[in-house]
Amino acid sequence: MPSVFTHEFNTPAFKGKVSFGTGIFINGQFIDGSDRTTIDVINPTTGKVTTSVSEATAKDVDTAVDAAQKAFDTVWGLNTSGTQRGILLGKLAGLLEAHRDELAALESLNNGKPFDLSTSDVDGSIKCIRYYAGWADKVTGQVQETTEAKFTYSRHEPIGVVGQIIPWNFPLLMLAWKLGPALATGNTVILKPSEFTPLTAIRVAQLINEAGYPPGVVNILTGYGNTVGNAISHHMKIEKVAFTGSTLVGRKILEAASKSNLKNVTLELGGKSPNIIFDDADLEQAVNWATHGIFWNHGQTCCAGSRIFVQEGIYDEFLKRFTEKAQSLKVGDPFNPETFQGPQVSEIQFNRIMGYIQSGRDAGAKVETGGERQGTEGYFIKPTVFTNTSPDMLIVKEEIFGPVGVVIKFKDEDDVIRQANDTVYGLAAAVFTQNLNRAIKTVHKLKAGTAWVNCVNELDPSVPFGGFKQSGIGRELGEYALHNYTAVKGVHINLDIKK
C-alpha cells in the first residue's frame, strides 16, 4: 500500500494539516508502482526530503492506458454528453476553490514559490477549469453546402487516450491548462507531473474522485521523464501527447511520436523573450513591469522577459532604477508574507543557473547586482542583472530559467527589432511605449506567439498561448486549445445520387 503524507503547516501565511496517499493514480485508485520503488520529494527551501511518492514505470503506463481506453469506450468520450462533462469540470473547479489555501500551501512547500504566488496559481487553475467547463457543450462541427443531392457535415470527435507531461515551474496551473480542454472534449488522460513537484497533482487526483469522474478518465503517474515520459511518448495506444517543458525534451517527444504511431503532438517549450523599452515609456511602470517580467516565479518562467532592451535616451536612468528595484526584492521563506522570491526548484536547477552566471562573468559581462547564492541552506539565488553583454554570450542566447536578466542598449526601432528577433525562440515579447502606433507596429514585427504592450506575463484562459520557431507547436488556452484534442470527421450522406 502507498504511504500517507501528513504535514502540519504552522506558518504566518497558512495554518492547517494535510494528509493524503502518495501512490500513483490509476483507474480511480491509489496504488504502488509496479516495481514498488519511490521518489524522494525535496523541499527546495531547506534541501531536505519532504516525503516520498510512488514511482511509476513503463508497465504502469500500460496499465493506465488500458484503464483509460476502457473508460473512453464505456463511460466517457461519446458516451458522456458535453453537458455532463461541463458539470464535472465545474465540480472539480469548486473543489479546487474549497481547498484553495491548502493547495497553495502544498505548492509553496513543494515548489518553493511564495504563498501569495501559489494562491494566484490556484485561482488561475480554478478560472481555467471553469472556462473549459463552459466549452464542454459547445464543441461543434459545421454543415457544408455542396449539392442538394447529398447532406454533408463535419464533426469534432474526442481523440481518445491522450498523454500529458507537465513541468515543475507551475505544477497545478499546468495541470489545469492540460486537463481542462482534454476533458471538455471527451478524452481520457494519462498525466505525468514532474518528479520534482508531484504533490498538488496527487492531491488533485483525490479531488477528481470526489468530483465524481468515472474511474480511468484521469490517471496520474508520478515518475521520471526517461521512463514514464518516454513510455507515454512512444506508446502505440496513446493517440496524442501534450508537453510543456524544455525545447530539448520537446525534440525527443516529437521524435518518439514519429517513430511510434505518428501521434498528434503539441509542445509549449522554451523562450528567451525580449522586453523592449522605448524612450517615451512610463519609466516607473517600465521598471516595475521589467522586474516582474524576469524575477516573477524566481525567473522560472518560459515567457520570462530575460532580454531587456532599453533605448539609449533612458538607458542609464532605467538601469539605475532597475538595479535598485532588484536589490530591494526580498528573497527567502515562501511562507513569509514579505517574500517576493523563494528558492529555485532543485539543486540541479540551482547549479544550472549558477553555471550560466559564471559563464557570463567569464565572457566579460558586468554583474550590476546579484550573481551569487543567498544564504547557506536551500537553493536561493539573488536577483541578477548583467550589462556589457554581446549577442554571442550564452546568457544572451540561451534560456537560463532563473532570476537572471540582461539589459541591452538599443538605438532605434529597426535596431531593436533586429536584435529581438535574433533568437531561435519565439514564445513571447513585450513593448513599453506611450505611442500606440509604435506599439502596434513593433509587436506586429516581433516573431513571438504572445506580445504584451505596457505589461508582461499577463495571461487569461480565453487567450491562446504558444510559441513561434523553437518555442513550440500548437496553442494552449482559449478555443484554440480545444482543436488540439479533437479529430475532425467529414460525413457525406447520399440523398439522391444515382450510379
Side-chain angles (χ1 to χ4, degrees), residues 37-249:
T37 51
T38 59
I39 298 171
D40 286 342
V41 178
I42 306 299
N43 180 349
T45 301
T46 63
K48 298 175 181 178
V49 175
T50 298
T51 187
S52 297
V53 299
S54 295
E55 179 188 0
T57 66
K59 183 178 178 181
D60 297 313
V61 174
D62 290 337
T63 303
V65 169
D66 289 343
Q69 188 65 59
K70 181 179 179 181
F72 182 79
D73 292 338
T74 59
V75 295
W76 200 246
L78 298 177
N79 303 289
T80 302
S81 69
T83 299
Q84 182 60 23
R85 295 196 298 268
I87 289 171
L88 288 174
L89 281 167
K91 287 183 177 179
L92 179 58
L95 288 167
L96 295 178
E97 191 167 46
H99 295 274
R100 175 180 183 262
D101 288 351
E102 173 197 340
L103 290 167
L106 275 175
E107 200 81 318
S108 292
L109 176 69
N110 196 180
N111 171 278
K113 65 180 64 188
F115 183 78
D116 284 350
L117 179 54
S118 292
T119 55
S120 176
D121 284 2
V122 179
D123 290 342
S125 302
I126 295 165
K127 187 176 181 180
C128 179
I129 295 294
R130 284 195 170 133
Y131 173 80
Y132 285 108
W135 266 112
D137 61 355
K138 300 174 185 67
V139 179
T140 60
Q142 297 176 339
V143 173
Q144 285 82 26
E145 291 295 335
T146 56
T147 170
E148 288 299 296
K150 69 175 180 178
F151 174 44
T152 55
Y153 62 93
S154 61
R155 55 189 260 131
H156 292 242
E157 299 178 356
I159 292 172
V161 180
V162 304
Q164 301 181 322
I165 303 171
I166 61 174
W168 44 255
N169 58 333
F170 292 95
L172 182 61
L173 188 62
M174 293 300 100
L175 178 145
W177 281 26
K178 294 290 190 288
L179 286 185
L183 296 177
T185 47
N187 298 279
T188 53
V189 175
I190 316 294
L191 184 141
K192 189 196 93 66
S194 168
E195 65 271 20
F196 294 113
T197 54
L199 296 185
T200 47
I202 297 171
R203 182 68 180 98
V204 169
Q206 287 187 313
L207 300 181
I208 285 170
N209 272 348
E210 191 175 336
Y213 277 89
V217 172
V218 179
N219 306 272
I220 296 178
L221 306 185
T222 51
Y224 293 105
N226 60 359
T227 52
V228 175
N230 186 61
I232 288 172
S233 303
H234 282 90
H235 207 286
M236 295 299 291
K237 293 182 179 179
I238 293 177
E239 298 292 339
K240 189 262 181 321
V241 64
F243 169 75
T244 296
S246 71
T247 298
L248 176 64
V249 175

Side-chain angles (χ1 to χ4, degrees), residues 1-2 22-26 30-38 53-57 59-60 221-222:
M1 290 291 292
T22 58
I24 61 176
F25 182 66
I26 297 178
F30 291 92
I31 60 174
D32 289 317
S34 58
D35 287 351
R36 297 187 178 277
T37 51
T38 59
V53 299
S54 295
E55 179 188 0
T57 66
K59 183 178 178 181
D60 297 313
L221 306 185
T222 51

Side-chain angles (χ1 to χ4, degrees), residues 36 119 304 316 390 407:
R36 297 187 178 277
T119 55
D316 291 341
S390 60
V407 182

Side-chain angles (χ1 to χ4, degrees), residues 355-367 386 393-395:
Y356 273 110
I357 291 173
Q358 187 59 49
S359 79
R361 284 195 173 101
D362 292 345
K366 180 183 178 182
V367 179
F386 276 104
M393 292 183 182
L394 295 183
I395 58 172

Side-chain angles (χ1 to χ4, degrees), residues 230-377:
N230 186 61
I232 288 172
S233 303
H234 282 90
H235 207 286
M236 295 299 291
K237 293 182 179 179
I238 293 177
E239 298 292 339
K240 189 262 181 321
V241 64
F243 169 75
T244 296
S246 71
T247 298
L248 176 64
V249 175
R251 289 179 184 277
K252 294 180 179 180
I253 290 171
L254 199 58
E255 181 182 10
S258 71
K259 289 183 175 180
S260 54
N261 59 347
L262 288 177
K263 55 177 62 67
N264 181 313
V265 176
T266 53
L267 304 172
E268 195 267 278
L269 306 176
K272 193 69 177 176
S273 300
N275 182 0
I276 299 170
I277 301 168
F278 285 102
D279 281 346
D280 67 339
D282 180 322
L283 190 55
E284 180 181 3
Q285 284 297 301
V287 168
N288 291 342
W289 280 107
T291 302
H292 176 71
I294 181 56
F295 300 126
W296 177 61
N297 204 49
H298 325 167
Q300 297 172 154
T301 309
C302 53
C303 55
S306 53
R307 293 184 298 146
I308 305 164
F309 294 97
V310 184
Q311 199 162 15
E312 55 190 8
I314 59 168
Y315 177 87
D316 291 341
E317 182 62 22
F318 174 89
L319 180 60
K320 174 178 176 294
R321 295 192 193 186
F322 181 61
T323 301
E324 291 172 350
K325 186 76 173 179
Q327 292 168 343
S328 73
L329 301 177
K330 182 172 179 57
V331 180
D333 179 4
F335 290 98
N336 183 333
E338 296 180 359
T339 295
F340 177 85
Q341 180 185 309
Q344 309 309 132
V345 75
S346 67
E347 184 177 14
I348 292 173
Q349 187 63 14
F350 172 89
N351 289 336
R352 182 175 183 271
I353 295 165
M354 293 303 294
Y356 273 110
I357 291 173
Q358 187 59 49
S359 79
R361 284 195 173 101
D362 292 345
K366 180 183 178 182
V367 179
E368 296 289 343
T369 188
E372 58 188 8
R373 179 179 193 148
Q374 175 147 319
T376 58
E377 184 180 66

